Amino acid sequence: MKYYASFSANNGSTILSEPYEYTNKAIAIKDIKKMVRGEHFRQPYNRSSYTVWDSNGLIIASGSLNDKGWWSVYDHEIGTKISEN
C-alpha cells in the first residue's frame, strides 16, 4: 500500500505543492513530523500541521506543532477521508 504525507507550516505560509509518497507507514509519519519540526518557527500563535493518509484516502496520522513546541495529535481525524480542497 502507498502512503502520502503533507504539511503546512507557519500558519499556512509554507506548504507543499504535492504530497510526499511512501511505501512504509511508520517512515511516512516519522519523516513528515521531522520536516514540520524543521520548517516550524517558534513564534507566538504560530502553528504547523501534518497529515498522512493511505492510498484509499483514509487519514492514518494527523496533528500539529504549536508555538511552544508541543505536539498535538488529531485522533478525531484518523480513519476519516482526506479532504480534496
Side-chain angles (χ1 to χ4, degrees):
M1 179 171 286
K2 290 186 180 179
Y3 301 94
Y4 303 91
S6 186
F7 72 88
S8 171
N10 307 311
N11 293 325
S13 65
T14 305
I15 59 171
L16 293 175
S17 59
E18 295 292 325
Y20 288 99
E21 187 175 312
Y22 296 88
T23 55
N24 183 294
K25 178 172 50 173
I27 291 173
I29 295 168
K30 181 181 174 183
D31 279 0
I32 204 67
K33 287 178 81 174
K34 186 176 178 180
M35 286 182 236
V36 169
R37 170 85 61 202
E39 292 292 330
H40 182 77
F41 296 123
R42 286 184 71 176
Q43 299 173 350
Y45 309 105
N46 191 23
R47 187 174 75 91
S48 299
S49 59
Y50 67 94
T51 306
V52 180
W53 64 97
D54 65 18
S55 55
N56 296 321
L58 295 177
I59 297 173
I60 58 169
S62 182
S64 67
L65 182 61
N66 73 8
D67 60 337
K68 307 284 190 223
W70 300 330
W71 286 101
S72 296
V73 176
Y74 300 154
D75 289 327
H76 64 281
E77 291 185 353
I78 296 174
T80 63
K81 284 276 191 183
I82 188 84
S83 63
E84 297 293 328
N85 37 345

